Amino acid sequence: MQEATTDSPATRLGKINAEIVAAAKLVTRAVADITLIAVSKTRSAVEIKPLIEAGHFVFGENRVQE
């Protein structure tokens, strides 16, 4: 279960990226070989914009076709 946070999207992104760096070092893997894909499935452009402004550009969606 994900805990609630008041951190900004940019702050949360920074924390996640730091966790990725730490995990990559732990398993001796190059950070450049890892891609974080943000899932924007139910989020509006207004909600996604702060992540783009923070430098994240890889997003994924999965919606049921109508």
Short mmCIF file of all heavy atoms in Angstrom, two decimals:
data_model
loop_
_atom_site.label_atom_id
_atom_site.label_comp_id
_atom_site.label_asym_id
_atom_site.label_seq_id
_atom_site.Cartn_x
_atom_site.Cartn_y
_atom_site.Cartn_z
N MET A 1 0.83 -1.18 0.00
CA MET A 1 0.00 0.00 0.00
C MET A 1 0.88 1.24 0.00
O MET A 1 1.83 1.33 0.77
CB MET A 1 -0.91 -0.03 1.23
CG MET A 1 -1.78 1.19 1.36
SD MET A 1 -2.78 1.08 2.84
CE MET A 1 -4.36 1.27 2.11
N GLN A 2 0.55 2.19 -0.86
CA GLN A 2 1.34 3.41 -0.99
C GLN A 2 0.93 4.39 0.09
O GLN A 2 -0.26 4.60 0.34
CB GLN A 2 1.12 4.02 -2.38
CG GLN A 2 2.02 5.17 -2.67
CD GLN A 2 1.82 5.66 -4.10
OE1 GLN A 2 1.02 5.12 -4.84
NE2 GLN A 2 2.55 6.67 -4.48
N GLU A 3 1.92 4.98 0.75
CA GLU A 3 1.60 5.93 1.80
C GLU A 3 1.32 7.31 1.22
O GLU A 3 1.86 7.68 0.18
CB GLU A 3 2.74 6.00 2.82
CG GLU A 3 4.04 6.52 2.25
CD GLU A 3 5.17 6.49 3.24
OE1 GLU A 3 5.48 5.41 3.74
OE2 GLU A 3 5.76 7.56 3.49
N ALA A 4 0.47 8.05 1.89
CA ALA A 4 0.14 9.41 1.44
C ALA A 4 1.34 10.32 1.71
O ALA A 4 2.06 10.15 2.68
CB ALA A 4 -1.08 9.91 2.18
N THR A 5 1.54 11.29 0.83
CA THR A 5 2.66 12.21 0.99
C THR A 5 2.24 13.60 0.55
O THR A 5 1.36 13.76 -0.28
CB THR A 5 3.89 11.74 0.19
OG1 THR A 5 4.94 12.67 0.40
CG2 THR A 5 3.60 11.63 -1.28
N THR A 6 2.90 14.59 1.12
CA THR A 6 2.65 15.97 0.71
C THR A 6 3.80 16.50 -0.13
O THR A 6 3.81 17.67 -0.48
CB THR A 6 2.46 16.86 1.95
OG1 THR A 6 3.62 16.77 2.77
CG2 THR A 6 1.23 16.46 2.73
N ASP A 7 4.75 15.64 -0.44
CA ASP A 7 5.88 16.04 -1.28
C ASP A 7 5.39 16.40 -2.68
O ASP A 7 4.44 15.82 -3.19
CB ASP A 7 6.91 14.91 -1.40
CG ASP A 7 7.66 14.64 -0.12
OD1 ASP A 7 7.65 15.51 0.77
OD2 ASP A 7 8.25 13.56 -0.01
N SER A 8 6.10 17.32 -3.32
CA SER A 8 5.77 17.69 -4.69
C SER A 8 6.13 16.54 -5.63
O SER A 8 6.94 15.68 -5.28
CB SER A 8 6.56 18.94 -5.09
OG SER A 8 7.92 18.61 -5.26
N PRO A 9 5.53 16.52 -6.81
CA PRO A 9 5.89 15.48 -7.78
C PRO A 9 7.39 15.48 -8.08
O PRO A 9 8.00 14.42 -8.21
CB PRO A 9 5.07 15.84 -9.02
CG PRO A 9 3.88 16.55 -8.47
CD PRO A 9 4.42 17.34 -7.30
N ALA A 10 8.00 16.65 -8.17
CA ALA A 10 9.43 16.73 -8.45
C ALA A 10 10.25 16.13 -7.31
O ALA A 10 11.24 15.43 -7.55
CB ALA A 10 9.84 18.18 -8.70
N THR A 11 9.83 16.37 -6.07
CA THR A 11 10.53 15.80 -4.91
C THR A 11 10.40 14.29 -4.90
O THR A 11 11.38 13.57 -4.68
CB THR A 11 9.97 16.39 -3.60
OG1 THR A 11 10.18 17.80 -3.62
CG2 THR A 11 10.64 15.79 -2.39
N ARG A 12 9.19 13.80 -5.15
CA ARG A 12 8.99 12.34 -5.19
C ARG A 12 9.80 11.71 -6.32
O ARG A 12 10.40 10.64 -6.14
CB ARG A 12 7.49 12.02 -5.33
CG ARG A 12 6.72 12.39 -4.08
CD ARG A 12 5.32 11.80 -4.03
NE ARG A 12 4.54 11.97 -5.24
CZ ARG A 12 3.63 12.91 -5.44
NH1 ARG A 12 3.38 13.80 -4.52
NH2 ARG A 12 2.96 12.96 -6.58
N LEU A 13 9.84 12.37 -7.47
CA LEU A 13 10.64 11.87 -8.59
C LEU A 13 12.11 11.79 -8.20
O LEU A 13 12.79 10.80 -8.50
CB LEU A 13 10.45 12.75 -9.82
CG LEU A 13 11.25 12.37 -11.06
CD1 LEU A 13 10.87 10.98 -11.56
CD2 LEU A 13 11.05 13.41 -12.16
N GLY A 14 12.60 12.81 -7.53
CA GLY A 14 13.99 12.80 -7.08
C GLY A 14 14.29 11.65 -6.12
O GLY A 14 15.33 11.00 -6.22
N LYS A 15 13.35 11.37 -5.23
CA LYS A 15 13.53 10.26 -4.28
C LYS A 15 13.54 8.92 -5.01
O LYS A 15 14.35 8.04 -4.71
CB LYS A 15 12.42 10.28 -3.23
CG LYS A 15 12.55 11.41 -2.24
CD LYS A 15 11.39 11.41 -1.26
CE LYS A 15 11.50 12.56 -0.27
NZ LYS A 15 10.37 12.59 0.68
N ILE A 16 12.65 8.76 -5.96
CA ILE A 16 12.60 7.51 -6.74
C ILE A 16 13.89 7.34 -7.53
O ILE A 16 14.47 6.24 -7.56
CB ILE A 16 11.37 7.49 -7.67
CG1 ILE A 16 10.10 7.40 -6.84
CG2 ILE A 16 11.46 6.34 -8.67
CD1 ILE A 16 8.83 7.65 -7.61
N ASN A 17 14.36 8.41 -8.16
CA ASN A 17 15.61 8.31 -8.92
C ASN A 17 16.78 7.98 -8.01
O ASN A 17 17.67 7.21 -8.41
CB ASN A 17 15.86 9.60 -9.71
CG ASN A 17 15.01 9.67 -10.96
OD1 ASN A 17 14.67 8.67 -11.56
ND2 ASN A 17 14.65 10.88 -11.35
N ALA A 18 16.80 8.50 -6.79
CA ALA A 18 17.86 8.17 -5.84
C ALA A 18 17.79 6.69 -5.46
O ALA A 18 18.83 6.03 -5.32
CB ALA A 18 17.75 9.05 -4.60
N GLU A 19 16.58 6.16 -5.31
CA GLU A 19 16.43 4.73 -5.00
C GLU A 19 16.91 3.88 -6.17
O GLU A 19 17.52 2.82 -5.95
CB GLU A 19 14.96 4.42 -4.70
CG GLU A 19 14.50 4.98 -3.38
CD GLU A 19 13.02 4.71 -3.11
OE1 GLU A 19 12.43 3.85 -3.80
OE2 GLU A 19 12.47 5.37 -2.22
N ILE A 20 16.66 4.33 -7.39
CA ILE A 20 17.13 3.59 -8.56
C ILE A 20 18.66 3.57 -8.59
O ILE A 20 19.27 2.53 -8.84
CB ILE A 20 16.55 4.20 -9.86
CG1 ILE A 20 15.05 3.91 -9.93
CG2 ILE A 20 17.27 3.66 -11.10
CD1 ILE A 20 14.31 4.63 -11.05
N VAL A 21 19.28 4.71 -8.32
CA VAL A 21 20.74 4.78 -8.29
C VAL A 21 21.30 3.84 -7.23
O VAL A 21 22.25 3.08 -7.49
CB VAL A 21 21.22 6.24 -8.04
CG1 VAL A 21 22.71 6.28 -7.75
CG2 VAL A 21 20.88 7.12 -9.24
N ALA A 22 20.71 3.85 -6.05
CA ALA A 22 21.19 2.97 -4.97
C ALA A 22 21.02 1.50 -5.33
O ALA A 22 21.93 0.69 -5.09
CB ALA A 22 20.44 3.29 -3.67
N ALA A 23 19.88 1.15 -5.92
CA ALA A 23 19.64 -0.23 -6.31
C ALA A 23 20.60 -0.67 -7.41
O ALA A 23 21.11 -1.80 -7.40
CB ALA A 23 18.20 -0.41 -6.77
N ALA A 24 20.87 0.21 -8.35
CA ALA A 24 21.79 -0.11 -9.44
C ALA A 24 23.19 -0.37 -8.89
O ALA A 24 23.87 -1.31 -9.32
CB ALA A 24 21.83 1.02 -10.46
N LYS A 25 23.62 0.45 -7.95
CA LYS A 25 24.94 0.24 -7.34
C LYS A 25 24.99 -1.09 -6.59
O LYS A 25 25.99 -1.81 -6.65
CB LYS A 25 25.27 1.38 -6.38
CG LYS A 25 25.63 2.67 -7.06
CD LYS A 25 25.96 3.75 -6.06
CE LYS A 25 26.26 5.06 -6.76
NZ LYS A 25 26.55 6.15 -5.81
N LEU A 26 23.91 -1.42 -5.91
CA LEU A 26 23.84 -2.65 -5.13
C LEU A 26 24.04 -3.88 -6.00
O LEU A 26 24.69 -4.85 -5.59
CB LEU A 26 22.50 -2.72 -4.41
CG LEU A 26 22.30 -3.85 -3.42
CD1 LEU A 26 23.25 -3.72 -2.25
CD2 LEU A 26 20.86 -3.88 -2.94
N VAL A 27 23.51 -3.85 -7.22
CA VAL A 27 23.61 -5.01 -8.11
C VAL A 27 24.61 -4.79 -9.24
O VAL A 27 24.62 -5.55 -10.21
CB VAL A 27 22.22 -5.40 -8.69
CG1 VAL A 27 21.29 -5.82 -7.59
CG2 VAL A 27 21.63 -4.27 -9.52
N THR A 28 25.44 -3.77 -9.08
CA THR A 28 26.46 -3.38 -10.07
C THR A 28 25.91 -3.32 -11.49
O THR A 28 26.41 -3.95 -12.42
CB THR A 28 27.70 -4.30 -10.02
OG1 THR A 28 27.33 -5.65 -10.28
CG2 THR A 28 28.40 -4.21 -8.68
N ARG A 29 24.87 -2.55 -11.62
CA ARG A 29 24.23 -2.33 -12.92
C ARG A 29 24.33 -0.85 -13.27
O ARG A 29 24.25 0.01 -12.40
CB ARG A 29 22.77 -2.74 -12.86
CG ARG A 29 22.06 -2.66 -14.17
CD ARG A 29 20.72 -3.34 -14.11
NE ARG A 29 20.04 -3.15 -15.38
CZ ARG A 29 18.82 -3.55 -15.62
NH1 ARG A 29 18.14 -4.17 -14.70
NH2 ARG A 29 18.27 -3.34 -16.80
N ALA A 30 24.50 -0.55 -14.53
CA ALA A 30 24.60 0.84 -14.96
C ALA A 30 23.24 1.52 -14.87
O ALA A 30 22.24 1.02 -15.38
CB ALA A 30 25.11 0.92 -16.39
N VAL A 31 23.20 2.68 -14.21
CA VAL A 31 21.96 3.43 -14.08
C VAL A 31 21.41 3.80 -15.46
O VAL A 31 20.19 3.82 -15.66
CB VAL A 31 22.18 4.70 -13.23
CG1 VAL A 31 20.93 5.55 -13.18
CG2 VAL A 31 22.61 4.32 -11.83
N ALA A 32 22.27 4.05 -16.41
CA ALA A 32 21.85 4.42 -17.76
C ALA A 32 21.06 3.30 -18.45
O ALA A 32 20.33 3.56 -19.41
CB ALA A 32 23.06 4.79 -18.61
N ASP A 33 21.19 2.07 -17.95
CA ASP A 33 20.46 0.94 -18.54
C ASP A 33 19.06 0.78 -17.96
O ASP A 33 18.33 -0.13 -18.34
CB ASP A 33 21.24 -0.36 -18.32
CG ASP A 33 22.53 -0.41 -19.11
OD1 ASP A 33 22.66 0.35 -20.08
OD2 ASP A 33 23.41 -1.21 -18.74
N ILE A 34 18.69 1.64 -17.01
CA ILE A 34 17.40 1.54 -16.34
C ILE A 34 16.52 2.71 -16.76
O ILE A 34 16.96 3.85 -16.76
CB ILE A 34 17.58 1.55 -14.80
CG1 ILE A 34 18.47 0.38 -14.38
CG2 ILE A 34 16.24 1.52 -14.09
CD1 ILE A 34 18.94 0.44 -12.95
N THR A 35 15.28 2.42 -17.12
CA THR A 35 14.34 3.46 -17.52
C THR A 35 13.13 3.44 -16.60
O THR A 35 12.46 2.42 -16.46
CB THR A 35 13.85 3.24 -18.97
OG1 THR A 35 14.98 3.23 -19.84
CG2 THR A 35 12.88 4.32 -19.40
N LEU A 36 12.87 4.57 -15.98
CA LEU A 36 11.68 4.73 -15.15
C LEU A 36 10.55 5.18 -16.06
O LEU A 36 10.65 6.20 -16.74
CB LEU A 36 11.92 5.78 -14.06
CG LEU A 36 10.71 6.16 -13.21
CD1 LEU A 36 10.21 4.96 -12.41
CD2 LEU A 36 11.05 7.32 -12.29
N ILE A 37 9.47 4.41 -16.06
CA ILE A 37 8.31 4.75 -16.87
C ILE A 37 7.20 5.19 -15.92
O ILE A 37 6.71 4.40 -15.11
CB ILE A 37 7.83 3.56 -17.73
CG1 ILE A 37 8.96 3.09 -18.63
CG2 ILE A 37 6.58 3.92 -18.52
CD1 ILE A 37 8.66 1.80 -19.38
N ALA A 38 6.82 6.45 -16.01
CA ALA A 38 5.74 6.98 -15.18
C ALA A 38 4.41 6.62 -15.85
O ALA A 38 4.24 6.84 -17.04
CB ALA A 38 5.87 8.49 -15.04
N VAL A 39 3.49 6.09 -15.09
CA VAL A 39 2.20 5.70 -15.63
C VAL A 39 1.24 6.87 -15.46
O VAL A 39 0.96 7.31 -14.35
CB VAL A 39 1.65 4.44 -14.94
CG1 VAL A 39 0.29 4.07 -15.49
CG2 VAL A 39 2.64 3.29 -15.11
N SER A 40 0.75 7.37 -16.59
CA SER A 40 -0.11 8.56 -16.58
C SER A 40 -1.56 8.22 -16.90
O SER A 40 -2.34 9.10 -17.23
CB SER A 40 0.43 9.57 -17.60
OG SER A 40 0.51 8.98 -18.88
N LYS A 41 -1.90 6.98 -16.74
CA LYS A 41 -3.19 6.43 -17.15
C LYS A 41 -4.40 7.28 -16.76
O LYS A 41 -5.25 7.55 -17.58
CB LYS A 41 -3.33 5.03 -16.55
CG LYS A 41 -4.57 4.29 -16.91
CD LYS A 41 -4.50 2.90 -16.32
CE LYS A 41 -5.75 2.11 -16.61
NZ LYS A 41 -5.66 0.76 -16.07
N THR A 42 -4.51 7.69 -15.53
CA THR A 42 -5.71 8.41 -15.09
C THR A 42 -5.40 9.84 -14.71
O THR A 42 -6.20 10.50 -14.05
CB THR A 42 -6.35 7.71 -13.89
OG1 THR A 42 -5.41 7.69 -12.81
CG2 THR A 42 -6.77 6.29 -14.23
N ARG A 43 -4.25 10.35 -15.11
CA ARG A 43 -3.82 11.69 -14.72
C ARG A 43 -4.02 12.70 -15.84
O ARG A 43 -3.86 12.38 -17.01
CB ARG A 43 -2.35 11.67 -14.29
CG ARG A 43 -2.04 10.71 -13.18
CD ARG A 43 -2.80 11.08 -11.95
NE ARG A 43 -2.57 10.09 -10.90
CZ ARG A 43 -3.21 10.08 -9.77
NH1 ARG A 43 -4.13 10.98 -9.52
NH2 ARG A 43 -2.96 9.16 -8.88
N SER A 44 -4.34 13.91 -15.46
CA SER A 44 -4.55 14.98 -16.44
C SER A 44 -3.21 15.60 -16.83
O SER A 44 -2.19 15.38 -16.18
CB SER A 44 -5.45 16.06 -15.84
OG SER A 44 -4.76 16.74 -14.80
N ALA A 45 -3.24 16.40 -17.89
CA ALA A 45 -2.03 17.10 -18.32
C ALA A 45 -1.51 18.02 -17.22
O ALA A 45 -0.30 18.15 -17.03
CB ALA A 45 -2.32 17.89 -19.59
N VAL A 46 -2.42 18.62 -16.47
CA VAL A 46 -2.02 19.51 -15.36
C VAL A 46 -1.25 18.73 -14.30
O VAL A 46 -0.28 19.23 -13.72
CB VAL A 46 -3.27 20.19 -14.75
CG1 VAL A 46 -2.93 20.94 -13.48
CG2 VAL A 46 -3.92 21.11 -15.76
N GLU A 47 -1.66 17.49 -14.03
CA GLU A 47 -0.98 16.66 -13.03
C GLU A 47 0.37 16.15 -13.53
O GLU A 47 1.28 15.95 -12.74
CB GLU A 47 -1.86 15.48 -12.65
CG GLU A 47 -3.11 15.87 -11.88
CD GLU A 47 -4.03 14.70 -11.66
OE1 GLU A 47 -4.59 14.18 -12.66
OE2 GLU A 47 -4.20 14.31 -10.49
N ILE A 48 0.50 15.94 -14.83
CA ILE A 48 1.73 15.39 -15.40
C ILE A 48 2.77 16.49 -15.63
O ILE A 48 3.98 16.24 -15.54
CB ILE A 48 1.41 14.67 -16.73
CG1 ILE A 48 0.54 13.45 -16.46
CG2 ILE A 48 2.68 14.27 -17.47
CD1 ILE A 48 -0.07 12.84 -17.69
N LYS A 49 2.33 17.70 -15.87
CA LYS A 49 3.24 18.81 -16.19
C LYS A 49 4.40 18.98 -15.19
O LYS A 49 5.54 19.18 -15.62
CB LYS A 49 2.45 20.10 -16.34
CG LYS A 49 3.29 21.25 -16.83
CD LYS A 49 2.45 22.50 -17.03
CE LYS A 49 3.34 23.64 -17.49
NZ LYS A 49 2.59 24.88 -17.64
N PRO A 50 4.17 18.90 -13.87
CA PRO A 50 5.30 19.05 -12.94
C PRO A 50 6.41 18.01 -13.13
O PRO A 50 7.59 18.31 -12.94
CB PRO A 50 4.66 18.92 -11.56
CG PRO A 50 3.24 19.29 -11.76
CD PRO A 50 2.90 18.81 -13.15
N LEU A 51 6.04 16.80 -13.54
CA LEU A 51 7.06 15.79 -13.79
C LEU A 51 7.88 16.13 -15.03
O LEU A 51 9.10 15.95 -15.05
CB LEU A 51 6.43 14.41 -13.96
CG LEU A 51 5.85 13.80 -12.69
CD1 LEU A 51 5.15 12.49 -13.01
CD2 LEU A 51 6.93 13.58 -11.66
N ILE A 52 7.21 16.62 -16.05
CA ILE A 52 7.92 17.03 -17.27
C ILE A 52 8.85 18.19 -16.95
O ILE A 52 10.01 18.21 -17.38
CB ILE A 52 6.91 17.39 -18.39
CG1 ILE A 52 6.14 16.13 -18.80
CG2 ILE A 52 7.63 18.02 -19.58
CD1 ILE A 52 4.96 16.39 -19.69
N GLU A 53 8.35 19.15 -16.17
CA GLU A 53 9.19 20.28 -15.76
C GLU A 53 10.38 19.85 -14.92
O GLU A 53 11.42 20.49 -14.92
CB GLU A 53 8.35 21.32 -15.01
CG GLU A 53 7.35 22.03 -15.92
CD GLU A 53 6.37 22.90 -15.17
OE1 GLU A 53 6.24 22.78 -13.93
OE2 GLU A 53 5.70 23.71 -15.84
N ALA A 54 10.24 18.72 -14.20
CA ALA A 54 11.33 18.18 -13.39
C ALA A 54 12.30 17.35 -14.22
O ALA A 54 13.30 16.85 -13.70
CB ALA A 54 10.77 17.35 -12.24
N GLY A 55 11.99 17.17 -15.52
CA GLY A 55 12.92 16.46 -16.40
C GLY A 55 12.55 15.04 -16.74
O GLY A 55 13.34 14.32 -17.35
N HIS A 56 11.36 14.59 -16.37
CA HIS A 56 10.95 13.22 -16.71
C HIS A 56 10.10 13.26 -17.97
O HIS A 56 9.12 14.01 -18.04
CB HIS A 56 10.16 12.58 -15.56
CG HIS A 56 9.96 11.13 -15.78
ND1 HIS A 56 10.95 10.21 -15.52
CD2 HIS A 56 8.91 10.44 -16.28
CE1 HIS A 56 10.51 9.00 -15.85
NE2 HIS A 56 9.27 9.13 -16.30
N PHE A 57 10.47 12.42 -18.95
CA PHE A 57 9.79 12.46 -20.24
C PHE A 57 9.26 11.11 -20.71
O PHE A 57 8.73 11.01 -21.81
CB PHE A 57 10.73 13.02 -21.31
CG PHE A 57 11.23 14.40 -20.98
CD1 PHE A 57 12.53 14.59 -20.57
CD2 PHE A 57 10.39 15.50 -21.05
CE1 PHE A 57 13.00 15.86 -20.24
CE2 PHE A 57 10.83 16.76 -20.73
CZ PHE A 57 12.15 16.96 -20.32
N VAL A 58 9.42 10.06 -19.91
CA VAL A 58 8.98 8.73 -20.33
C VAL A 58 7.69 8.37 -19.57
O VAL A 58 7.72 8.19 -18.35
CB VAL A 58 10.07 7.66 -20.08
CG1 VAL A 58 9.62 6.31 -20.56
CG2 VAL A 58 11.37 8.06 -20.75
N PHE A 59 6.59 8.29 -20.31
CA PHE A 59 5.29 7.99 -19.72
C PHE A 59 4.67 6.83 -20.45
O PHE A 59 4.91 6.63 -21.64
CB PHE A 59 4.36 9.21 -19.83
CG PHE A 59 4.78 10.36 -18.97
CD1 PHE A 59 5.70 11.29 -19.45
CD2 PHE A 59 4.31 10.52 -17.70
CE1 PHE A 59 6.12 12.36 -18.67
CE2 PHE A 59 4.72 11.57 -16.91
CZ PHE A 59 5.62 12.49 -17.39
N GLY A 60 3.85 6.07 -19.76
CA GLY A 60 3.15 4.95 -20.36
C GLY A 60 1.69 4.97 -19.96
O GLY A 60 1.33 5.46 -18.90
N GLU A 61 0.85 4.44 -20.83
CA GLU A 61 -0.57 4.34 -20.56
C GLU A 61 -1.05 2.97 -21.01
O GLU A 61 -0.49 2.36 -21.90
CB GLU A 61 -1.36 5.41 -21.30
CG GLU A 61 -1.17 6.78 -20.75
CD GLU A 61 -2.27 7.73 -21.20
OE1 GLU A 61 -3.33 7.25 -21.66
OE2 GLU A 61 -2.07 8.93 -21.06
N ASN A 62 -2.10 2.51 -20.37
CA ASN A 62 -2.72 1.26 -20.76
C ASN A 62 -4.21 1.43 -20.51
O ASN A 62 -4.64 1.45 -19.37
CB ASN A 62 -2.15 0.10 -19.96
CG ASN A 62 -2.73 -1.21 -20.40
OD1 ASN A 62 -3.39 -1.32 -21.41
ND2 ASN A 62 -2.50 -2.25 -19.61
N ARG A 63 -4.97 1.58 -21.57
CA ARG A 63 -6.41 1.77 -21.44
C ARG A 63 -7.15 0.72 -22.25
O ARG A 63 -6.68 0.30 -23.30
CB ARG A 63 -6.80 3.18 -21.93
CG ARG A 63 -6.20 4.27 -21.08
CD ARG A 63 -6.59 5.61 -21.64
NE ARG A 63 -5.90 6.65 -20.89
CZ ARG A 63 -6.51 7.70 -20.40
NH1 ARG A 63 -7.79 7.88 -20.58
NH2 ARG A 63 -5.83 8.60 -19.74
N VAL A 64 -8.29 0.35 -21.75
CA VAL A 64 -9.13 -0.60 -22.47
C VAL A 64 -9.65 0.06 -23.73
O VAL A 64 -10.12 1.19 -23.70
CB VAL A 64 -10.30 -1.05 -21.58
CG1 VAL A 64 -11.22 -1.99 -22.34
CG2 VAL A 64 -9.80 -1.72 -20.32
N GLN A 65 -9.52 -0.65 -24.85
CA GLN A 65 -10.03 -0.10 -26.10
C GLN A 65 -11.55 -0.16 -26.11
O GLN A 65 -12.15 -1.11 -25.63
CB GLN A 65 -9.48 -0.88 -27.29
CG GLN A 65 -8.01 -0.63 -27.53
CD GLN A 65 -7.53 -1.31 -28.79
OE1 GLN A 65 -8.07 -2.31 -29.20
NE2 GLN A 65 -6.50 -0.76 -29.39
N GLU A 66 -12.13 0.87 -26.64
CA GLU A 66 -13.60 0.92 -26.71
C GLU A 66 -14.10 0.28 -27.97
O GLU A 66 -13.48 0.23 -28.96
CB GLU A 66 -14.04 2.37 -26.64
CG GLU A 66 -13.65 3.01 -25.31
CD GLU A 66 -14.09 4.46 -25.22
OE1 GLU A 66 -15.08 4.83 -25.86
OE2 GLU A 66 -13.40 5.20 -24.53
#
